[in-house]
Amino acid sequence: MAAAKSRRQGAAAASPEPKAQDKEVVAGANGSPSIQIAGKKESADEEPHENIFLLWPNIIDMLTDHIPVPRRIGYSRIVLAVASLYYMPLHPRTCSLLYSISCLLDALDGYAARYFEQSTRFGAVLDMVTDRCTTACLLVFLSSAFPRWAILFQGLISLDLASHYMHMYATLAMGGAENSHKNVDKSRSRILSLYYTNKTVLFLACALNEAFFIALYLLSFSSPLLSPSLLQTVPDQAAQAIHQGAQVNSSLLRHIFTNPYSAGALELARANKMDSFWPWVLAGVSFPVMALKQIINVVQLVKASRWLAEGDVRARRAQGLPRRKRKTA
């Protein structure tokens, strides 16, 4: 018995005792503290963990340093875009300012992602979705402001969404998951390669495209030529009753389509004090670039469709399709 005990003691003495600095106190399964020896962890735990898709607490706390800088900019764009939509029906100055800042942050977002080495696929998709949604919302408002041209604005929304979706899907399906939608080879399309690889061209095309729609938005408040309803005035009797404290209908629907007796008419009268000169200048300067941007969208849609069709042809040939029909006797 003593011999067995001495052997166990000798084995324990022969095994090296872990040093104090190599021990780490961690929480056990039942919450009680336990000691873990350094070097026994799995190799996956040795690398820093990055949470690309942020949890809700981090999203709510977006102004802290827990969120990477590019994503903070991306979420700020969304907040500004939503705020601009809130002010869109009746506050053209505030809406235009918030919308313009949201669009300009798009360029800053990409620069920050490259500078801080935080470029992610989630960030790229978030930027594209934000761009498509904000532009579509503005075009929806223009459809209500200029109902005669609603079908044109609806077509622009459809073209914008379809071309970018087809291009993104074709890039992932044919180019591989690691390939970016901005990596366009000149052999596929020279204009798309220039558009996506030249940052100056990309910025000017996107900025002036949005500038044209913002100019139309401002003209809907300031130009009776485009919006004849702006010539309507509040009758003297109704205006006097309003100034004396008469209640008026201030529902959101009547803000969008105001009548002379609504509170929205007074707000539009204040907004209509804007001069339409600079919106006309902005619309004239940005119109050619906007038209070019729509041509690029058409080219992008056609090229992506052909790229997917080529892949389908190769896949069908690999499966032996179409099968040759047997000749009947």
Side-chain angles (χ1 to χ4, degrees):
M1 186 71 178
K5 183 177 181 180
S6 61
R7 284 196 298 270
R8 286 196 298 269
Q9 292 175 349
S15 62
E17 180 71 11
K19 298 180 182 180
Q21 59 269 25
D22 294 337
K23 298 179 180 180
E24 181 180 0
V25 179
V26 297
N30 57 356
S32 60
S34 61
I35 298 178
Q36 188 174 16
I37 302 175
K40 299 298 183 180
K41 298 181 181 180
E42 296 180 0
S43 59
D45 295 337
E46 296 177 357
E47 299 180 356
H49 179 68
E50 282 188 314
N51 189 3
I52 301 301
F53 192 80
L54 302 176
L55 300 177
W56 280 111
N58 292 338
I59 295 177
I60 296 174
D61 198 20
M62 69 176 63
L63 296 180
T64 65
D65 291 336
H66 297 290
I67 296 181
V69 174
R71 295 287 66 76
R72 267 185 282 171
I73 297 175
Y75 286 116
S76 300
R77 289 189 60 208
I78 298 176
V79 172
L80 291 172
V82 173
S84 68
L85 298 180
Y86 175 80
Y87 288 108
M88 187 171 288
L90 285 175
H91 298 272
R93 296 181 180 87
T94 304
C95 172
S96 300
L97 177 62
L98 295 175
Y99 190 93
S100 299
I101 295 176
S102 176
C103 293
L104 290 176
L105 285 179
D106 184 20
L108 182 60
D109 189 3
Y111 174 79
R114 293 186 295 270
Y115 181 82
F116 291 99
E117 297 181 346
Q118 295 175 350
S119 299
T120 61
R121 283 175 289 186
F122 169 71
V125 174
L126 178 64
D127 290 341
M128 178 176 289
V129 170
T130 303
D131 292 338
R132 305 286 75 75
C133 291
T134 52
T135 304
C137 290
L138 179 56
L139 291 175
V140 167
F141 180 87
L142 293 178
S143 297
S144 63
F146 307 107
R148 291 185 178 180
W149 299 95
I151 189 172
L152 176 61
F153 294 121
Q154 292 167 353
L156 292 178
I157 294 174
S158 302
L159 176 61
D160 192 36
L161 294 176
S163 65
H164 284 85
Y165 176 80
M166 291 285 288
H167 178 69
M168 175 72 79
Y169 186 84
T171 302
L172 295 176
M174 305 301 296
E178 300 299 327
N179 192 25
S180 172
H181 68 281
K182 293 185 177 181
N183 294 333
V184 180
D185 190 75
K186 290 183 178 180
S187 59
R188 286 184 52 204
S189 173
R190 290 184 177 273
I191 187 171
L192 289 180
S193 178
L194 176 64
Y195 174 74
Y196 278 114
T197 58
N198 192 310
K199 297 180 178 60
T200 302
V201 173
L202 180 62
F203 173 78
L204 290 177
C206 294
L208 292 178
N209 179 70
E210 296 293 341
F212 176 78
F213 296 131
I214 294 175
L216 286 184
Y217 165 73
L218 292 175
L219 288 173
S220 69
F221 286 89
S222 60
S223 175
L225 179 63
L226 296 181
S227 300
S229 60
L230 296 176
L231 297 176
Q232 297 178 358
T233 59
V234 179
D236 295 337
Q237 183 179 359
Q240 185 177 2
I242 292 175
H243 286 298
Q244 290 176 356
Q247 294 183 353
V248 292
N249 191 340
S250 58
S251 64
L252 182 60
L253 290 178
R254 294 193 179 275
H255 280 177
I256 299 176
F257 300 100
T258 61
N259 62 69
Y261 300 97
S262 67
L266 298 181
E267 181 63 24
L268 281 179
R270 183 194 66 82
N272 291 341
K273 293 179 181 179
M274 294 188 306
D275 188 4
S276 62
F277 173 75
W278 289 112
W280 275 114
V281 172
L282 182 61
V285 171
S286 57
F287 175 77
V289 180
M290 185 278 301
L292 178 61
K293 179 69 166 58
Q294 306 314 315
I295 295 175
I296 292 176
N297 284 341
V298 173
V299 173
Q300 182 172 247
L301 179 62
V302 173
K303 293 293 183 180
S305 301
R306 289 181 176 178
W307 199 12
L308 287 173
E310 291 174 1
D312 290 337
V313 170
R314 290 196 296 268
R316 288 175 58 81
R317 287 179 179 176
Q319 297 174 3
L321 299 175
R323 293 186 177 91
R324 296 181 179 179
K325 295 182 180 180
R326 297 179 180 179
K327 295 182 180 180
T328 57

